[in-house]
Amino acid sequence: MVVSVALAEGSELALPLVIQDQLQLWIRGNVSACARSIFIFDEMDKMHAGLIDAIKPFLDYYDVVDEVSYQKAIFIFLSNAGAERITDVALDFWRRGKQREEIKLKDMEHALSVSVFNNRNSGFWHSSLIDRNLIDYFVPFLPLEYKHLKMCIRVEMQARGYEVDEDVISRVAEEMTFFPKEERVFSDKGCKTVHTKLDYYLDD
């Protein structure tokens, strides 16, 4: 069972305990029904710290919580926090003449966890999830290069039922924005605007 959750943006106000209780009951109910449940929490950088506290007991080093084992459950947290650090590492590799594919998890995992932990704009700011090493892996999403954008455009054309036109693919890719501005190495927005850009070239 895979459960995806988008949680509202946090605020300085205290989170009502009833919301924390509801979240815990919901997680407990799903894991009771399926021990191998996967929970995906989106926009963790906007998540209220109280919700993180509500999740913590399920990730801590306990075999059983309220007679339910969470050892087989998987929690995935998606966040934009740490993006600057990821970009810095990717650019550093490029400037040293190395390929994006040469970047290893060990090259940024520790620095990334520290960056997220100390980022006041992150839902993980001074979070016990990081402080107590309750997160097993920090998996960075590396910035996309020109060739990756062309792959996205190609897939989008095929998904719409159009014959792949390499000229159109190149023209759309050229319209995208990159950084550093002069060298145009990495995409600013990834593939997010591919669908809209293609609308100018394809007659639906």
Side-chain angles (χ1 to χ4, degrees), residues 3-53:
V3 182
S4 180
V5 186
L7 295 165
E9 186 169 352
S11 68
E12 297 299 321
L13 300 176
L15 187 72
L17 288 177
V18 65
I19 296 179
Q20 296 186 43
D21 291 342
Q22 288 174 350
L23 177 59
Q24 290 180 335
L25 286 172
W26 180 75
I27 292 174
R28 187 178 300 117
N30 279 282
V31 176
S32 297
C34 177
R36 297 185 183 276
S37 293
I38 299 177
F39 299 91
I40 303 175
F41 293 86
D42 199 5
E43 297 189 334
M44 282 293 291
D45 45 310
K46 299 177 181 179
M47 187 173 177
H48 195 290
L51 287 176
I52 293 182
D53 290 339

Side-chain angles (χ1 to χ4, degrees), residues 101-200:
E101 289 73 19
E102 295 181 66
I103 300 175
K104 305 298 182 185
L105 186 60
K106 64 181 181 180
D107 295 319
M108 62 172 63
E109 187 172 29
H110 175 69
L112 187 57
S113 66
V114 172
S115 173
V116 173
F117 182 76
N118 291 319
N119 185 347
R120 285 182 174 271
N121 296 319
S122 164
F124 288 115
W125 184 67
H126 283 192
S127 167
S128 59
L129 295 187
I130 297 177
D131 193 33
R132 288 177 49 78
N133 298 309
L134 299 181
I135 296 180
D136 295 319
Y137 298 101
F138 284 85
V139 182
F141 288 81
L142 300 177
L144 302 181
E145 297 175 340
Y146 181 82
K147 62 182 179 183
H148 301 122
L149 282 186
K150 294 184 72 173
M151 292 169 63
C152 289
I153 298 167
R154 189 175 292 109
V155 168
E156 180 64 24
M157 291 186 72
Q158 293 172 333
R160 295 194 191 188
Y162 285 93
E163 183 177 345
V164 173
D165 186 326
E166 293 298 331
D167 179 58
V168 170
I169 290 173
S170 296
R171 289 162 66 188
V172 173
E174 286 296 329
E175 287 189 9
M176 310 295 273
T177 55
F178 296 82
F179 66 93
K181 190 172 182 179
E182 296 299 324
E183 293 85 353
R184 291 174 56 84
V185 180
F186 298 115
S187 170
D188 272 332
K189 300 177 181 178
C191 293
K192 291 180 180 179
T193 59
V194 164
H195 185 278
T196 303
K197 294 287 185 183
L198 262 179
D199 287 340
Y200 290 104

